[in-house]
């Protein structure tokens, strides 16, 4: 049993920044890859970013490249998503997820998910 808990969401004006955190607990195991996804009302859950076990490889959705940065801290069992230059279209519930080892853009590759944290970007 692995629990993932996101935090750091909130309301921010366009152009602002937020840093999301995803803390893992329980029977964690390694190696693993971590990902961030987001879902807006009435839309599919979309890939945002992913990072491999070592942290040396990261993938980003085209819509967030250059603005978002994913990182991880193994000592704290925590993954971060630094979000800069936020836009209203970034508004969504953001979820972190853990895979069995593959750094993937596909939700189906992830076996554990957090409950999500709301990010709202106003104009």
């Amino acid at each position: 049993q692995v629990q993932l808990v996101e935090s750091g969401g909130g309301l921010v004006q366009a152009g602002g920044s937020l840093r999301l955190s995803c803390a893992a607990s329980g029977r964690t195991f390694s190696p693993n890859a971590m990902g961030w996804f987001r879902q807006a009302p009435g839309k599919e859950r979309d890939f945002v970013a992913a990072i491999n076990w070592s942290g040396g490889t990261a993938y980003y959705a085209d819509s967030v490249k250059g603005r978002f940065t994913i990182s991880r801290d193994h000592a704290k069992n925590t993954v971060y998503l630094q979000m800069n230059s936020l836009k209203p279209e970034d508004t969504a519930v953001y979820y972190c997820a853990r895979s069995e080892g593959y750094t993937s853009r596909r939700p189906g590759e992830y076996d554990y998910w957090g409950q999500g944290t709301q990010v709202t970007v106003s104009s």
Side-chain angles (χ1 to χ4, degrees), residues 2-113:
V2 176
Q3 289 187 244
L4 304 175
V5 180
E6 302 96 334
S7 62
L11 175 64
V12 64
Q13 293 188 10
S17 298
L18 285 173
R19 188 180 75 160
L20 305 183
S21 299
C22 175
S25 62
R27 292 185 176 271
T28 59
F29 58 91
S30 61
N32 61 71
M34 298 293 296
W36 286 96
F37 295 79
R38 65 187 183 186
Q39 187 169 22
K43 297 184 178 180
E44 298 179 6
R45 185 169 297 186
D46 293 329
F47 169 78
V48 176
I51 189 168
N52 72 343
W53 171 248
S54 70
T57 300
Y59 300 124
Y60 298 93
D62 289 341
S63 59
V64 306
K65 285 182 179 178
R67 299 189 298 120
F68 291 10
T69 303
I70 187 171
S71 62
R72 67 190 305 168
D73 185 338
H74 287 302
K76 297 181 179 180
N77 287 124
T78 300
V79 178
Y80 304 96
L81 184 69
Q82 178 66 47
M83 305 185 295
N84 299 325
S85 301
L86 283 163
K87 304 174 181 179
E89 48 263 47
D90 295 319
T91 296
V93 177
Y94 283 70
Y95 299 89
C96 68
R98 183 190 189 195
S99 80
E100 61 276 12
Y102 291 93
T103 309
S104 177
R105 295 176 172 87
R106 299 184 298 169
E109 295 291 334
Y110 294 82
D111 52 0
Y112 291 96
W113 293 80

